[in-house]
Amino acid sequence: LWVVRGSPPTYVLLWGIILNTAMGCFLRIFKDVETNCSIYTLWLQARQVCGIIHRAATSWNLSYFVSKWASVWETYAKVVKHMQQQTEKKVMLSGIKPSGDLTLGSYLGAIKNWAARAEEFECYYFMADLHSITVRQNPADLRRRTLEQLAQYIACGLDPEKNTLFIQSHVHQHAELGWVLNCYAMFGELSRMTQFKDKASKNADNINGGLFTYPSLMAADILLYQPDYVPVGEDQKQHVELTRNIVQRFNGIYGDVFKMPEPYIPKVGARIMSLTNPEAKMSKSENEDTGRVCLMDDPAVIMKQFKRAITDSDRENCVRYDPEHKPGVANLMNIYAAVTGKSYADIEREFDGQGYGVFKPAVGEAVVECLRPIREEATRMMADKAYLESVYRAGAEKASRVAQKTLRKVYKKVGFVAL
Ligand code: TRP
């Protein structure tokens, strides 16, 4: 310190080193918390530190320096936290299994709403290929569908610049955290999952362990990204509830490791039922549903599907919204409303006095026009594999960075030796 005080050239040199180191530290920490901090705040921080160093140096008082240093870190942590809260958008994450082609139901019920969210939320969407092998898949189909799904997401308006789009198996942390969480999900809990019971009864010859532990992998998918919201359909709510139980259990043992996620059931977004069975959700799997319309279907196929859509056996042959007594018509109205933006009353007026013979093809036409640009864009992208690869590479990179941070924390908490 006497050097600092005594000789101006050394003084300048030392200041240079100190400033540089301080800035370096801050930048590293800022990078680590991934906060979009302004250079100005950095500068203020650096100035505060330098001021303290300066005063310590000029007053020859080392203990002053040491005591202030602690308070600098404290302020610093507060600033970082505050900025994080201010600048960080709420995080949202969702996945779809590429085990069937995306349908009109997936589009109107989910994906369509995703595009508009990117401004408000930090969004992660992934192709849940790890999940899809709980039921036997044809490898070539799985590969094609996974890429096709990505192309369709983008064609539906999910901008890869604004959303993180990735393929689940590219981010190895999912499988790793999945294993850990398996050890915090209870046998009884997993046995109560209705999806497991349902799938087990449909795949009696292949009730594998993966089908059973599916929800702990899903919990890992979610928790790796510490999301605030998980947009899911009604059918997945139980899995999100289980995830919440795991969070409570895990955090109860190890402290605040995971953020508690909320299921996010969008207000808008229709629940689209099968065209041949309006009691059941439009399903992605071909063998389960003959009344489905896929995003990549030919217009002629779509028209055929709508023309043979089930309406109701009542005699009135009129377009009226009555989901309880006329579920078939209500479903078609729902679809028509979702693709045209018209209200039920508008639709009733539009088809007043006309029967299902006019209504059904009209819905078909509207759907064809709604899906046309999506199909064309997705087809174009499927021909441009290099582009798709650049998207999923960038997505995997971003996702793994975030996922690794959580996984590292978890490994440390449960007692694994760090490498
Ligand atoms: N289980 C979901 C489904 O069957 C897909 C999924 C996997 C998912 N992991 C997820 C959804 C994480 C939301 C969050 O549709």
Side-chain angles (χ1 to χ4, degrees):
L1 291 181
W2 65 267
V3 179
V4 176
R5 246 188 130 193
S7 109
T10 338
Y11 187 100
V12 171
L13 185 72
L14 266 178
W15 267 114
I17 296 170
I18 289 167
L19 262 170
N20 234 324
T21 324
M23 276 307 242
C25 279
F26 288 139
L27 282 172
R28 272 193 56 172
I29 293 158
F30 267 108
K31 191 158 171 249
D32 199 44
V33 294
E34 281 178 348
T35 312
N36 304 320
C37 80
S38 64
I39 296 295
Y40 181 65
T41 323
L42 268 181
W43 183 70
L44 281 184
Q45 280 291 319
R47 225 180 56 164
Q48 191 192 355
V49 176
C50 291
I52 289 164
I53 294 172
H54 180 81
R55 248 177 295 159
T58 46
S59 68
W60 292 68
N61 188 345
L62 202 61
S63 67
Y64 167 82
F65 172 74
V66 171
S67 71
K68 276 297 177 185
W69 188 249
S71 91
V72 166
W73 281 117
E74 218 170 280
T75 337
Y76 188 69
K78 269 192 221 145
V79 170
V80 167
K81 197 154 176 212
H82 177 73
M83 285 188 352
Q84 251 178 325
Q85 282 165 351
Q86 284 224 318
T87 58
E88 250 184 29
K89 295 178 182 173
K90 296 264 187 208
V91 177
M92 208 172 235
L93 166 136
S94 196
I96 293 192
K97 286 197 300 284
S99 52
D101 296 322
L102 292 180
T103 67
L104 180 66
S106 352
Y107 176 63
L108 296 179
I111 310 168
K112 190 173 168 226
N113 305 316
W114 295 358
R117 280 187 201 144
E119 303 302 331
E120 194 182 340
F121 299 98
E122 155 110 40
C123 298
Y124 296 84
Y125 298 109
F126 64 95
M127 321 322 128
D129 54 351
L130 295 179
H131 279 97
S132 64
I133 62 164
T134 52
V135 174
R136 285 286 172 266
Q137 301 291 326
N138 172 314
D141 280 347
L142 178 58
R143 214 179 327 267
R144 173 188 60 79
R145 276 177 172 150
T146 307
L147 287 179
E148 217 166 66
Q149 206 175 84
L150 176 63
Q152 289 171 36
Y153 278 177
I154 302 170
C156 287
L158 277 191
D159 182 348
E161 301 284 326
K162 294 185 183 154
N163 299 276
T164 307
L165 309 178
F166 66 98
I167 297 172
Q168 189 186 22
S169 62
H170 288 170
V171 182
H172 56 80
Q173 289 85 354
H174 287 248
E176 293 168 77
L177 184 62
W179 168 253
V180 174
L181 297 188
N182 255 333
C183 305
Y184 297 83
M186 297 300 139
F187 182 83
E189 238 168 7
L190 293 169
S191 321
R192 281 195 293 278
M193 295 295 114
T194 48
Q195 181 170 307
F196 168 69
K197 288 191 257 183
D198 184 45
K199 293 224 160 157
S201 72
K202 282 185 187 146
N203 300 281
D205 54 342
N206 183 21
I207 306 180
N208 58 66
L211 201 58
F212 187 67
T213 58
Y214 182 114
S216 26
L217 181 58
M218 180 159 159
D221 299 338
I222 296 171
L223 299 180
L224 279 173
Y225 303 91
Q226 310 275 14
D228 298 273
Y229 302 110
V230 186
V232 285
E234 280 294 330
D235 60 326
Q236 294 298 317
K237 246 174 106 176
Q238 202 185 19
H239 290 160
V240 180
E241 280 309 317
L242 177 59
T243 304
R244 289 168 59 84
N245 289 345
I246 292 177
V247 169
Q248 204 159 36
R249 189 168 300 136
F250 200 93
N251 286 359
I253 306 171
Y254 303 104
D256 251 349
V257 179
F258 297 124
K259 186 176 226 166
M260 185 64 87
E262 305 273 348
Y264 181 90
I265 312 281
K267 288 185 271 313
V268 283
R271 184 167 153 84
I272 305 298
M273 314 306 268
S274 163
L275 298 181
T276 46
N277 176 13
E279 306 291 330
K281 187 171 141 177
M282 187 179 280
S283 161
K284 279 194 298 239
S285 23
E286 212 159 348
N287 45 5
E288 279 175 29
D289 188 0
T290 51
R292 67 196 191 121
V293 168
C294 295
L295 294 191
M296 301 305 273
D297 278 349
D298 220 54
V301 176
I302 298 178
M303 286 308 290
K304 195 177 108 219
Q305 287 294 65
F306 276 96
K307 283 185 187 149
R308 46 177 277 239
I310 298 277
T311 34
D312 303 289
S313 50
D314 60 355
R315 293 285 157 116
E316 64 175 13
N317 190 19
C318 102
V319 178
R320 188 165 57 77
Y321 191 71
D322 181 358
E324 201 176 320
H325 301 105
K326 295 159 71 75
V329 172
N331 186 35
L332 290 172
M333 288 180 76
N334 219 351
I335 294 173
Y336 196 64
V339 297
T340 61
K342 293 175 182 164
S343 70
Y344 296 137
D346 286 343
I347 301 171
E348 284 171 3
R349 225 167 299 127
E350 184 178 346
F351 293 96
D352 188 27
Q354 293 172 308
Y356 302 146
V358 175
F359 179 53
K360 291 202 285 187
V363 181
E365 296 279 359
V367 169
V368 165
E369 286 320 309
C370 164
L371 296 187
R372 188 189 302 281
I374 297 175
R375 181 171 47 99
E376 286 173 358
E377 179 72 2
T379 311
R380 197 187 55 68
M381 266 184 276
M382 281 305 279
D384 187 357
K385 293 283 190 301
Y387 171 69
L388 286 179
E389 182 176 337
S390 73
V391 170
Y392 64 67
R393 258 184 201 285
E397 225 167 85
K398 162 87 195 287
S400 346
R401 196 153 18 93
V402 179
Q404 184 55 33
K405 228 155 72 184
T406 309
L407 188 69
R408 197 186 307 130
K409 200 164 162 191
V410 169
Y411 274 14
K412 189 169 162 201
K413 290 285 182 182
V414 298
F416 295 161
V417 174
L419 183 65

